[in-house]
Structures are given as structure tokens and as C-alpha cells.
Amino acid sequence: MSFLAYQNEEPSGTPEQQADPRENLLDEHNTAAYRASVLQGVERVIGELTGRDRPTTGIRPEQLEPETKRIDLDSPLHDTSEALDELEKVYLRDAVHFHHPRYLAHLNCPVVIPALLGEAIGSAINSSLDTWDQSAGGTFIEQQLIDWTTGRIGLGEQADGVFTSGGTQSNLQALLLAREQALARQETTPDTGWQLSRMRILTARDSHFSIVKAAKLLGLGAESVIPVDCDEQRRMIPSALDTALDDCRDRGLTPMAVVATAGTTDFGSIDPLLEIAGSCARSGVWMHVDAAYGCGLLVSGKGPSLAGIEHADSVVVDYHKSFFQPVSSSAVLVRDREMLRHVTYHADYLNPERHAQQRIPNQVDKSIQTTRRFDALKLWLTLRTMGPDALGGLFDEVLDLAQQAWETLHADPRFEVVTRPELSTLVFRYVPSADIDPELCDRANLHARGALYDSAAAAIAETVVDGRNHLKFTLLNPRTTRDDIAEVLELVAEHAGRYLEEYGTAELEQRRAS
């Protein structure tokens, strides 16, 4: 329906349903309605938490899509309860429950209650963290959390940073800064296009896909990313990095940045940060550390070391992975705050240059976003309510669980596990016998994952290792137990074994017949 047609349409519904739309605004006049609506929502969430004993419902896209498409957004319900009833059918009923102990799929964590309180307050006040005159105290809360995090990392007194929407955006901004620094070092060459075509980013083969995406967004192209070989633990090999750096220079290429990972998505591996820092220092190359996952070690009491991260030029942390925060809550951090000038632009209507001269703290001067949510509030209330040691204790529990799960997998002859985890992910494969056809085994493992989802008994992930399909546990829930792991593995074996029995026999007979 066009806008004019909508404006000319006769109003429908009862007079009560045509109430003043200002009654839906949150202000001092409507606090009772605000309280009643939010409490209704909270009760629905509690109902979902207590009313379902599985992490998913096994819903299929073709089942749920028609439910949503049939809703006419031009015909409002004029009633919160009815809207929530409808939401139950299109979202709440089938929402994936990351807090369930058998949700073992992706890097989604259960969230702590103080963070939810921060989310509720932040959404209601609706501060925008781009300028001081839109956020006031929010500016200093965010800045203090940035300073706290850089202090934990050890980046030094000149460090700074800003909150972002997630690791992908954080990696993009960090590599943008690295690109601009590399360009600044080549001012004698006026042809910027030629300079960009020669730039290279070096990173381990198992690093996050957002590195390639960032290279494309920065005008460098996917071919600018040079994969560096990894060892058996899926960590970057320092000698291979040195060889790649030398090769770049021999070919007249410019190593723009080295990206090390502190917690790869698949394996939770931590690259040898100290050795990589040495290579970067010798070569004069920007060192970036993607610690989106491994940042939980900043509050951990027993996890592996992040030694060497303090030498990074930039670091990414995702609080919504390892700090039990709701999405989104991430930050990009830099050793030298002067580097953030590469994303500073002044607009007369927003952050005029005189504001900087007057030392007015406009966070937009450091961000590639303008309007930005007050995501720091969630972490602030979490730290002020629980403290970092309690958060670290939760993360330590999942680290311990990952070791127990590895022991279970390693001792079971039906499974192959790729690496012993440094963090809390395990990549494994159901292989009941050595002489099984690898392609058939691939299909059996994928079938087991799909069957688990369809049954709603558990949620696990899949990946590919050395060309073969594998399954993956991502453990971020302190409520998950070793018994949960053992029972899910039995379900995997049951589903995969049934597939092999059914299709393996048929394929064997086909081969014999041919």
C-alpha cells in the first residue's frame, strides 16, 4: 500500500483501539503502561525458560516462514497481550535457547542477570554514545570499561578504544587503522591504488573469515590475505610467518598487518603471541590480535596464558562471547590512541572540530559508527554487581568442562577428536572403524547433526577439517555437565551409526554389483 493510500484509508477498529498514539511513548505520563508491558514480556520469557526442556524445537524454515508472512503489519492489534500471543507463534515458541545445557553449537553464551538489567535500562533511556551531549555519563562509563580492558591486556598508558557491534566490525576497524598507517609510511608514492594493490595481510589458515571480508571492504581484495600454515594444534607457526614476511618483501609487497588469533572459532587455539610479536617488531608490521573468543582469559584464574598480547597494536574483544553478555557487546582497542585519528571526521552539526579543541569527549571521533547503543552499560552493571573474579569463575568452569569432554572423546574408539582444546571448543568426527569409506562417514556425521536438531534433543555445530566433515561442541554454559556431553555423544553415535548401517550396506551392494 502506498503512503498516500494509507493516509486516505478510513480508520478501522473501535474508538478504544484508536487511542492517542502518544500513549505508547515512554515518558512521565505513561510509566504505568511501561511497567505493565515490560512485566508481561518478562513473564513470557520466564514461561519459555521454565516451559521447555530442550534447546530448540527442531522447527524447519519452511514451517516457520508462512507463520510470519501471513501477518499484516499494516493492521495493528492495539493490545500488548495479543501482540505477545502472536510473537509466541512466530518467535518465542521456537527461539533457540542458548542457556540450555545441551546447546553446544556456536559461540553464543548464556547471559547473566545484571547484564539483562543493563540492557533494559539502556534501551529505555536510549542513549546514543556518539556525542557527549547525547550520552553524558554513558561516555565515561564506556571509557572506563575501555581503560579497564586495556589495563587487563597491558597495552599501556596511551591505549584507547571504543565499543563496537561485534568481532567482525572490530576486525574491520583495526585493519582500517593498519591500512592507513601503512599508507602513511609510503607517502612518497602518490599512486594510492598501486599501494593498495601491493598490501598484504598475514594470518593463520584457521583465523576468522571476517579477516578476508575486511580485506575486501577495505579495497584490498581477498587475494591480499596470505594464509600462514598452522601446527597440529591449529596455531600459527612462527617460522612460517617469518618466511611469508620475507617472501612478501622479496616480491615487492607490503605486509600491512599480521593477524594473530587468541581463540579460533573452530578449535579455540591461541597463536604463539609472543613469537608473533617478535616477528612483527623485527619487520615493522602492525600486529593485530583477534581475541574475540579468548578475551575471557582476561578474567580467568586458570586458563592458558595470553602472554604477548600486550605487544599488539590492536586487539578485539567480544564480551558477548566469554563475559556472558547479551549481543552486542564488543570493543576494538589500540596501543596508541593517536591511531584512532584515522576514523575521525568532524561534522559541524554533530562533533565540530572546536569540540576536540575544547576536549569535549565525543566517542564518535573514535568509531566507524555514528549512532551507537550504550552496550557498555551491560558490562558495567555486571562488573559492579558480580565482579571480574566471578565472571572468570564461570569461564573457568567451561574450560574445565572442555578438558573433561576431550577426555571422554579421546577415550571413545568410535570418535576422532582433532585437538585438545585450549579454550572450550572440540572438533571431532564419528569414525567407528578405520576401513569405513571417508565420504560415507562425512555424510553420516552431517546426518547425525541434522537428526539431533530435528529431534530438538541437542544443538551442535559442523565444520570442515582437511576436507572432511566434522562435528563441533562449543561449550560456554557452566550448567552443562560431563553427563550432558556423554549423552549427546551417544545420540550422535546412534544417528550416525543408523545412517551407516542403512546406506553403507546399500553402497556396498552397489559396488559389488558394478
Side-chain angles (χ1 to χ4, degrees):
M1 180 183 294
S2 71
F3 178 74
L4 286 176
Y6 181 81
Q7 289 292 88
N8 294 328
E9 187 183 28
E10 288 293 320
S12 60
T14 65
E16 289 78 14
Q17 291 174 323
Q18 297 169 26
D20 185 345
R22 289 177 296 179
E23 292 182 4
N24 290 295
L25 292 173
L26 175 58
D27 56 26
E28 70 275 18
H29 304 290
N30 298 321
T31 54
Y34 165 58
R35 179 184 290 112
S37 293
V38 170
L39 288 177
Q40 283 190 66
V42 168
E43 289 301 323
R44 297 289 179 134
V45 172
I46 290 173
E48 287 298 317
L49 290 172
T50 57
R52 196 202 301 173
D53 61 355
R54 300 188 171 205
T56 74
T57 63
I59 192 75
R60 308 295 302 177
E62 61 273 15
Q63 295 173 286
L64 190 54
E65 185 180 29
E67 286 280 349
T68 308
K69 281 189 170 295
R70 68 173 179 77
I71 294 172
D72 181 6
L73 294 176
D74 290 320
S75 300
L77 298 171
H78 298 288
D79 183 86
T80 299
S81 183
E82 288 185 32
L84 287 172
D85 287 342
E86 183 181 80
L87 187 67
E88 186 82 27
K89 298 175 184 176
V90 297
Y91 174 61
L92 290 173
R93 181 185 63 195
D94 299 299
V96 177
H97 284 203
F98 300 136
H99 63 272
H100 193 280
R102 294 194 183 179
Y103 179 84
L104 311 171
H106 302 288
L107 279 168
N108 306 107
C109 59
V111 296
V112 292
I113 293 171
L116 292 177
L117 176 60
E119 188 82 285
I121 293 172
S123 296
I125 302 301
N126 201 31
S127 297
S128 180
L129 266 287
D130 44 334
T131 59
W132 159 257
D133 63 358
Q134 298 178 73
S135 59
T139 297
F140 294 124
I141 285 175
E142 176 174 285
Q143 186 61 57
Q144 189 156 339
L145 285 168
I146 291 292
D147 294 343
W148 176 81
T149 308
T150 60
R152 288 258 165 173
I153 293 172
L155 290 179
E157 293 298 320
Q158 295 304 309
D160 201 355
V162 71
F163 271 63
T164 71
S165 66
T168 295
Q169 182 189 327
S170 294
N171 281 328
L172 173 63
Q173 179 164 342
L175 291 174
L176 169 63
L177 302 179
R179 185 195 70 180
E180 294 304 294
Q181 277 300 101
L183 285 172
R185 289 196 298 269
Q186 300 182 52
E187 287 178 351
T188 55
T189 306
D191 186 351
T192 301
W194 183 85
Q195 292 179 51
L196 290 177
S197 71
R198 311 300 293 169
M199 287 187 180
R200 295 295 182 267
I201 300 167
L202 294 87
T203 189
R205 291 188 183 277
D206 292 312
S207 65
H208 197 260
F209 75 91
S210 63
I211 304 304
V212 174
K213 180 181 284 190
K216 295 180 72 173
L217 291 171
L218 293 172
L220 307 176
E223 65 277 5
S224 69
V225 179
I226 297 177
V228 180
D229 286 339
C230 296
D231 60 20
E232 291 183 354
Q233 294 301 310
R234 305 286 163 166
R235 299 172 298 200
M236 185 191 294
I237 301 173
S239 60
L241 172 62
D242 290 335
T243 299
L245 287 167
D246 291 341
D247 182 63
C248 280
R249 291 202 165 82
D250 290 344
R251 295 162 56 198
L253 302 173
T254 302
M256 182 191 95
V258 171
V259 178
T261 308
T264 56
T265 302
D266 270 350
F267 304 103
S269 300
I270 299 172
D271 288 335
L273 303 177
L274 201 54
E275 291 91 334
I276 292 170
S279 297
C280 290
R282 289 190 296 273
S283 300
V285 178
W286 183 284
M287 178 185 177
H288 173 60
V289 177
D290 179 355
Y293 177 14
C295 65
L297 296 175
L298 298 176
V299 290
S300 169
K302 60 174 65 174
S305 171
L306 289 177
I309 195 172
E310 68 276 9
H311 299 297
D313 294 288
S314 56
V315 178
V316 165
V317 295
D318 270 8
Y319 307 108
H320 60 230
K321 287 187 172 68
S322 305
F323 278 66
F324 304 96
Q325 299 295 292
V327 173
S328 295
S329 187
S330 177
V332 59
L333 312 163
V334 293
R335 159 185 302 286
D336 180 0
R337 62 171 56 98
E338 287 300 312
M339 297 300 102
L340 293 168
R341 72 183 185 276
H342 294 306
V343 295
T344 302
Y345 293 86
H346 294 287
D348 291 338
Y349 67 88
L350 185 70
N351 62 328
E353 196 164 355
R354 62 182 172 81
H355 281 192
Q357 296 165 356
Q358 295 166 350
R359 304 181 68 83
I360 294 174
N362 293 324
Q363 297 289 80
V364 71
D365 294 349
K366 302 187 291 186
S367 176
I368 60 176
Q369 292 176 268
T370 304
T371 303
R372 196 160 50 81
R373 299 178 78 246
F374 187 16
D375 287 320
L377 180 58
K378 297 175 283 195
L379 182 58
W380 178 271
L381 279 179
T382 299
L383 290 176
R384 299 310 299 142
T385 304
M386 296 176 59
D389 291 345
L391 274 180
L394 292 176
F395 193 61
D396 287 342
E397 287 190 51
V398 298
L399 296 181
D400 287 343
L401 177 65
Q403 295 304 316
Q404 295 170 20
W406 180 84
E407 291 168 0
T408 299
L409 275 163
H410 188 65
D412 193 325
R414 300 170 298 175
F415 293 97
E416 293 177 352
V417 58
V418 179
T419 63
R420 184 163 190 160
E422 290 186 272
L423 294 180
S424 62
T425 56
L426 293 104
V427 177
F428 62 96
R429 177 173 162 90
Y430 178 75
V431 188
S433 64
D435 58 353
I436 190 171
D437 178 65
E439 292 186 4
L440 178 60
C441 195
D442 280 349
R443 297 198 297 276
N445 278 273
L446 290 185
H447 170 79
R449 189 217 176 200
L452 269 180
Y453 180 87
D454 291 342
S455 71
I460 65 175
E462 65 180 82
T463 191
V464 175
V465 181
D466 300 329
R468 291 297 169 202
N469 292 327
H470 283 66
L471 304 175
K472 183 172 74 167
F473 287 163
T474 305
L475 308 175
L476 282 176
N477 191 339
R479 298 260 190 214
T480 303
T481 66
R482 190 168 186 168
D483 286 343
D484 287 314
I485 299 296
E487 290 180 32
V488 171
L489 288 175
E490 286 304 319
L491 290 172
V492 169
E494 179 183 327
H495 289 303
R498 189 178 301 128
Y499 182 93
L500 290 175
E501 184 178 340
E502 181 178 350
Y503 291 94
T505 303
E507 287 190 10
L508 182 60
E509 289 175 354
Q510 261 188 338
R511 287 201 195 101
R512 286 172 177 168
S514 61

